[in-house]
Amino acid sequence: MSRLTAQELTVGYDKRTVVDDLTLEVPDGSFTVVVGANGCGKSTLLRGLARLLRPSGGSVLLDGEDIHRLRSKEVARRLGLLPQGPTAPDGILVGDLVGRGRHPHVGLLRQWTERDQQAVTDAMVATGIADLEHRYVDELSGGQRQRVWIAMALAQQTPLLLLDEPTTFLDIAHQVDVLELCAELHEEHGRTLVVVLHDLNHACRYAGHLVALREGRIVAQGAPRDIVTAELVEEVFGLACRVIDDPETGSPLVVPARRRRNAASPSLRKANA
């Protein structure tokens, strides 16, 4: 059994079910990406896996134990979460925010140690923000702030890391930077990642294991090369497309069909005459 598993999971908000009777085993040591149309339940699934939502049915198992029966600090030592759109306190320094990732390891009977400081330093080096340690977070660019949040999650030193749309609001260059960093954490540091992404082509390029959701249910999962077809994209996203090989990586590349009216309006034809 994998370290993180959802078994017949049903979860949502108030009385509204978003994810329904879903079973998922996150492959250990994988870079798993969850994709799907807006409102399909991607973020809700991640919040359920991270114990932020209590299921109305089924369960989430962490190392074979019901995650809701574990103490909060115990969960935080095994599983790190970067939620969507995190907000930093006003006037906080980068180093101090990253240091908050050590809170699960520091308690009333254990003070800050050299090991904690080394974990913070290592996380900042890994994310390329060591030179920002004494800068205020609210002075940074969006891409820099995202790296700071990832560094805070890394400082927890958990084997599992969940990230909810870490590329949101970033330009294309910073999106690639963040995803390359995630790939490095997976490949060189052995972290199991579960990442929610909107961009299907980014997901195909970086994921080792892809999970496609539609209306709160898994439509397909597996290696992108094995499951991503034009038919799947139309089923999940309602988008007609071609799927070709990415010339850079060989991963599936989704090329949307043009969505235009069959003929130009009479006024437009007259103007072009």
Side-chain angles (χ1 to χ4, degrees):
M1 178 182 292
S2 67
R3 298 198 65 174
L4 184 61
T5 304
Q7 294 186 341
E8 300 176 346
L9 180 67
T10 299
V11 65
Y13 305 93
D14 296 325
K15 296 183 179 180
R16 183 170 65 93
T17 295
V18 178
V19 171
D20 187 24
D21 196 26
L22 182 148
T23 294
L24 170 67
E25 288 193 12
V26 176
D28 291 339
S30 69
F31 189 157
T32 293
V33 177
V34 182
V35 298
N38 290 343
C40 73
K42 302 185 299 295
S43 294
T44 301
L45 171 59
L46 205 72
R47 289 168 63 83
L49 292 174
R51 207 181 75 156
L52 296 183
L53 294 173
R54 182 174 286 277
S56 57
S59 60
V60 173
L61 302 181
L62 180 59
D63 294 326
E65 301 178 79
D66 188 325
I67 197 169
H68 287 276
R69 295 181 179 176
L70 296 171
R71 296 170 54 206
S72 295
K73 276 200 170 184
E74 184 60 35
V75 173
R77 293 187 187 111
R78 305 187 205 178
L79 184 151
L81 171 68
L82 177 61
Q84 188 178 157
T87 303
D90 291 336
I92 191 170
L93 297 173
V94 167
D96 292 336
L97 184 59
V98 177
R100 293 192 174 197
R102 297 302 297 167
H103 283 187
H105 304 276
V106 178
L108 295 175
L109 301 179
R110 195 181 84 74
Q111 301 303 311
W112 190 267
T113 66
E114 290 185 9
R115 180 180 177 182
D116 296 313
Q117 186 57 53
Q118 190 61 52
V120 170
T121 299
D122 290 346
M124 290 192 292
V125 169
T127 52
I129 61 165
D131 59 332
L132 303 177
E133 180 178 4
H134 302 294
R135 293 272 303 277
Y136 289 104
V137 174
D138 52 17
E139 295 176 350
L140 305 181
S141 69
Q144 289 172 324
R145 284 197 298 271
Q146 199 69 321
R147 284 177 172 267
V148 172
W149 286 111
I150 293 174
M152 187 187 77
L154 285 183
Q156 283 182 243
Q157 293 187 319
T158 59
L160 286 159
L161 187 58
L162 280 55
L163 302 98
D164 191 358
E165 298 184 20
T167 59
T168 299
F169 305 127
L170 301 183
D171 61 40
I172 184 64
H174 284 109
Q175 289 178 29
V176 171
D177 283 345
V178 166
L179 292 171
E180 289 287 343
L181 170 61
C182 290
E184 180 181 330
L185 296 174
H186 162 61
E187 294 166 6
E188 299 184 15
H189 299 273
R191 302 293 178 94
T192 298
L193 302 182
V194 184
V195 183
V196 168
L197 289 179
H198 263 105
D199 190 304
L200 182 55
N201 285 330
H202 281 165
C204 289
R205 173 173 283 203
Y206 289 98
H209 187 76
L210 192 68
V211 178
L213 292 187
R214 183 173 183 269
E215 297 179 352
R217 297 176 181 271
I218 296 176
V219 175
Q221 63 176 312
R225 229 169 163 31
D226 294 337
I227 68 169
V228 176
T229 62
E231 292 75 19
L232 177 73
V233 175
E234 185 150 20
E235 180 181 2
V236 172
F237 293 94
L239 178 69
C241 69
R242 293 175 57 204
V243 176
I244 63 175
D245 290 341
D246 186 324
E248 185 70 21
T249 64
S251 58
L253 181 67
V254 176
V255 182
R258 296 190 67 179
R259 304 179 82 170
R260 56 187 296 181
R261 298 186 183 277
N262 292 331
S265 67
S267 59
L268 182 59
R269 289 201 301 269
K270 184 176 180 180
N272 290 334

